[in-house]
Amino acid sequence: MKPELILLRFGEFTLKGKNRLRFEQAVIHYTLDVLRDYPGLRYRKAYGRLYLELNGAPYENVAERLKSVFGIQTFSPVLFCGHDLEVIRAAALSVMDGLSRKPKTFKVTVKRTWKEYPYDSQELNGLIGGPVLRHVEGLTVDVHKPEVELRVEIREDGAYLFSDVIKGAGGYPVGSNGKAMLMLSGGIDSPVAGWLAMRKGLDIEAVHFHSYPFTSERAQQKVKDLALQLAKYTRKVKVHMVPFTEIQTRLNQLGQPNLLITLMRRAMFRITEQLAAKHEAGAVVTGESLGQVASQTLPSLNTIGKVAELPILRPLITMDKDDIIRIAHRIGTYETSILPYEDCCTLFAAKSPSTNPNLRVIERIERSASSWLEEEIRLAVEGTETFWFSQLFDTSVMDQHAGGALPTSPEHQETTTAEPQSIDRFF
Ligand code: ATP
Ligand code: MG
């Protein structure tokens, strides 16, 4: 027997009473997009639960995509069958056979909400559990801490059986908490920071600073590849490519090598904030993690962050590198992040950058550069090229600066032409 339904369980947002319906609908809407190439899918709300009816769609493929839908905490394949006891027993064996790992212990939990059924839950436990015990070799019952709990719900319309609980991406539905600009380098950290921010319901637009031709086109491609990977979890990710060569070169000429990274970072924040204003974002997300490098000591973060007016969100601030790497593997960005292309921050890198940059000194240097700095920041914003990446839509360049954007590579163009369908068909 194949699963006909998938039981969806929503994440922490279900706690937020009045927003619950809105968030639920957002997840449903998004799931609909992700699975648009299975037009037979239907949502069914029944007995306070939300099911996805497969109607012939292959469970494995659907499950794979559900794993990247924010807002879905866990899900379970469900067998749905008639009331006949023999059919239910056969379904129970089928659920056990379908488990990814063979358990040593199990228990059956029967919930009988349809009181006209001829057996009560207690009797059913034995009637269903007995054949399972005989069927699976070496299996014993453990009512306290079973490896597997076989759940059987007897409803008026039939029996629902499930056991496997598969972890989803969790969090809040895409875009349900507003929009933020993600400062996206080609490193390990910032894509992870972006993913965590997305999981909190933030719509992300990435900002990348490049110093072409000092940094290569491949370094930019790497950032685009990371954006495409992040786009797996959201409808689309925009990447703003900011030309930073002029600013970086001129800041370097100020002759303050140990303060260069602080000056650069402050310029980056200024530009990011202007882009945020232009694209109506309410925060800036970075991959900074306390103490990781000179620019991420508390005094550095302070001096750099002072330049920003929007809240700076640093999802990794207290995380260990090991944990960050683990997430990078899980979300599929690690392999790209470790490719050896240079980032603009490593250009002109000082041997011993200041770990304690003084705000007043920095502001004085910036004042001395005011004749050109403001103008260069304006030009950088103006010269920014924007790309869209999506695994759902046509990913050709949709919005770009007149100067001509770098083409996205063909593999970015996994397209489908179908229009998003009405949410109504899912109820
Ligand atoms: P990452 O792995 O994200 O590159 P990192 O540990 O290498 O981080 P830094 O290079 O000091 O740390 O950068 C700190 C943060 O500054 C990054 O996480 C990112 O948010 C931002 N950043 C650095 N370089 C760039 C860049 N070229 N474009 C956009 N943002 C950048
Ligand atoms: Mg970096």
Side-chain angles (χ1 to χ4, degrees):
M1 255 185 247
K2 288 198 179 126
E4 286 165 32
L5 302 172
I6 299 179
L7 168 59
L8 304 178
R9 299 181 195 84
F10 288 154
E12 54 183 294
F13 67 79
T14 50
L15 302 172
K16 298 178 73 171
K18 66 179 167 56
N19 282 334
R20 184 188 157 134
L21 193 67
R22 187 167 65 84
F23 281 8
E24 245 181 51
Q25 293 215 331
V27 179
I28 290 166
H29 220 114
Y30 180 68
T31 308
L32 190 121
D33 257 354
V34 176
L35 294 163
R36 55 166 52 185
D37 43 343
Y38 297 111
L41 287 177
R42 295 280 181 281
Y43 275 92
R44 184 206 294 185
K45 258 188 162 166
Y47 313 107
R49 294 190 188 277
L50 191 66
Y51 296 97
L52 200 52
E53 287 181 8
L54 288 168
N55 292 323
Y59 167 74
E60 282 73 20
N61 298 13
V62 173
E64 204 41 49
R65 297 217 209 144
L66 284 180
K67 284 182 197 162
S68 61
V69 175
F70 289 125
I72 295 178
Q73 197 72 8
T74 60
F75 61 90
S76 299
V78 178
L79 289 189
F80 177 66
C81 61
H83 288 130
D84 186 275
L85 181 62
E86 285 317 312
V87 174
I88 296 174
R89 282 171 151 171
L93 300 188
S94 184
V95 169
M96 297 304 287
D97 286 341
L99 293 173
S100 43
R101 213 167 43 86
K102 294 293 157 219
K104 290 215 161 21
T105 58
F106 95 118
K107 80 168 177 182
V108 182
T109 306
V110 179
K111 193 165 154 189
R112 188 192 60 146
T113 55
W114 187 48
K115 298 297 175 201
E116 283 165 43
Y117 200 68
Y119 307 100
D120 68 20
S121 349
Q122 208 50 43
E123 289 168 316
L124 282 166
N125 277 340
L127 287 168
I128 298 168
V132 171
L133 274 176
R134 286 192 290 278
H135 178 74
V136 184
E137 216 184 297
L139 192 67
T140 55
V141 174
D142 181 344
V143 289
H144 302 295
K145 263 187 124 185
E147 280 173 54
V148 162
E149 184 177 4
L150 172 61
R151 310 272 302 267
V152 182
E153 298 183 355
I154 311 286
R155 312 276 191 188
E156 189 170 354
D157 57 346
Y160 295 73
L161 292 91
F162 58 92
S163 174
D164 249 0
V165 177
I166 294 135
K167 210 165 153 24
Y172 288 72
V174 170
S176 59
N177 274 331
K179 191 201 281 183
M181 305 307 273
L182 165 68
M183 291 172 71
L184 182 63
S185 72
I188 294 172
D189 301 325
S190 45
V192 171
W195 184 82
L196 288 169
M198 275 158 52
R199 196 169 71 151
K200 269 290 168 193
L202 285 169
D203 216 349
I204 289 297
E205 291 194 14
V207 179
H208 178 71
F209 297 86
H210 67 85
S211 286
Y212 185 79
F214 297 127
T215 55
S216 63
E217 279 192 23
R218 292 179 79 183
Q220 289 182 56
Q221 188 56 49
K222 177 181 174 185
V223 171
K224 292 177 183 176
D225 290 344
L226 289 170
L228 182 68
Q229 186 58 25
L230 288 178
K232 211 176 136 192
Y233 298 89
T234 177
R235 285 195 177 81
K236 60 184 181 297
V237 171
K238 255 189 196 180
V239 181
H240 303 286
M241 289 285 180
V242 184
F244 202 58
T245 322
E246 191 62 25
I247 294 177
Q248 187 167 5
T249 311
R250 293 186 75 164
L251 286 176
N252 187 42
Q253 285 163 358
L254 293 174
Q256 298 280 352
N258 295 347
L259 295 177
L260 181 60
I261 192 76
T262 314
L263 292 163
M264 273 168 53
R265 277 288 146 74
R266 282 171 60 95
M268 285 181 177
F269 270 108
R270 287 208 175 118
I271 293 168
T272 304
E273 286 216 316
Q274 291 196 17
L275 290 170
K278 211 166 149 181
H279 298 279
E280 298 176 347
V284 177
V285 178
T286 76
E288 289 160 317
S289 184
L290 192 59
Q292 219 183 64
V293 286
S295 60
Q296 296 174 32
T297 61
L298 210 45
S300 276
L301 290 172
N302 215 349
T303 299
I304 293 167
K306 277 278 188 311
V307 81
E309 283 175 12
L310 288 176
I312 303 172
L313 308 182
R314 301 179 172 99
L316 314 183
I317 196 70
T318 60
M319 282 173 68
D320 290 343
K321 196 77 184 185
D322 283 358
D323 296 327
I324 298 169
I325 288 176
R326 191 147 1 101
I327 300 178
H329 278 297
R330 175 177 163 202
I331 65 175
T333 53
Y334 184 79
E335 295 302 330
T336 306
S337 286
I338 59 169
L339 293 173
Y341 307 123
E342 67 296 325
D343 181 53
C344 72
C345 293
T346 50
L347 284 182
F348 319 129
K351 278 209 179 64
S352 54
S354 172
T355 53
N356 188 16
N358 182 299
L359 179 63
R360 262 176 300 163
V361 173
I362 290 291
E363 285 176 343
R364 200 170 55 232
I365 298 170
E366 285 175 350
R367 270 198 302 277
S368 77
S370 62
S371 59
W372 58 268
L373 189 54
E374 289 309 313
E375 177 61 4
E376 288 300 337
I377 285 177
R378 194 186 63 75
L379 288 174
V381 172
E382 214 179 86
T384 295
E385 297 170 344
T386 301
F387 302 81
W388 291 47
F389 296 90
S390 171
Q391 308 228 5
L392 298 175
F393 299 102
D394 184 345
T395 55
S396 51
V397 177
M398 293 162 78
D399 174 9
Q400 54 180 268
H401 178 250
L406 293 166
T408 53
S409 32
E411 63 267 26
H412 287 179
Q413 307 196 352
E414 184 183 312
T415 63
T416 158
T417 49
E419 282 302 304
Q421 296 180 33
S422 157
I423 197 166
D424 299 338
R425 102 181 146 89
F426 284 83
F427 289 103

Coordinates of all heavy atoms in Angstrom, one line a residue, residues 185-190 265 343 345-346, ligand 2:
S185 N 28.5 37.2 1.4 CA 29.9 37.1 0.8 C 29.9 35.7 0.2 O 28.9 35.0 0.1 CB 30.9 37.2 1.9 OG 30.8 36.0 2.7
G186 N 31.0 35.2 -0.3 CA 31.1 33.9 -0.8 C 31.4 32.9 0.3 O 31.7 31.7 0.0
G187 N 31.5 33.3 1.5 CA 32.0 32.4 2.6 C 31.0 31.4 3.1 O 29.9 31.2 2.5
I188 N 31.3 30.8 4.2 CA 30.5 29.8 4.8 C 29.3 30.4 5.6 O 28.2 29.9 5.6 CB 31.3 28.8 5.7 CG1 32.3 28.0 4.9 CG2 30.4 27.9 6.5 CD1 33.2 27.2 5.7
D189 N 29.7 31.5 6.2 CA 28.7 32.0 7.3 C 27.5 32.8 6.7 O 26.4 32.5 7.2 CB 29.5 33.0 8.2 CG 30.7 32.3 8.9 OD1 30.5 31.1 9.2 OD2 31.7 33.0 9.1
S190 N 27.7 33.7 5.8 CA 26.6 34.5 5.4 C 25.4 33.8 4.8 O 24.3 34.1 5.0 CB 27.0 35.7 4.6 OG 27.9 35.4 3.6
R265 N 33.9 48.0 5.9 CA 32.6 47.5 6.4 C 31.6 48.6 6.6 O 30.4 48.5 6.3 CB 32.9 46.8 7.7 CG 33.4 45.4 7.6 CD 32.2 44.5 7.2 NE 32.7 43.5 6.3 CZ 33.4 42.4 6.8 NH1 33.6 42.3 8.1 NH2 33.9 41.5 6.0
D343 N 37.4 36.9 -1.9 CA 36.4 37.8 -1.6 C 37.1 39.2 -1.6 O 38.3 39.3 -1.3 CB 35.8 37.5 -0.2 CG 34.7 38.5 0.2 OD1 33.7 38.6 -0.6 OD2 34.7 39.1 1.3
C345 N 37.1 41.4 0.6 CA 37.6 41.7 1.9 C 39.1 41.2 2.1 O 39.8 41.7 2.9 CB 36.8 41.2 3.0 SG 35.2 41.9 3.1
T346 N 39.4 40.2 1.3 CA 40.8 39.7 1.4 C 41.8 40.5 0.6 O 43.0 40.3 0.8 CB 40.9 38.2 1.0 OG1 40.3 38.1 -0.3 CG2 40.1 37.3 2.0
Ligands
MG2 MG 34.1 36.2 4.4

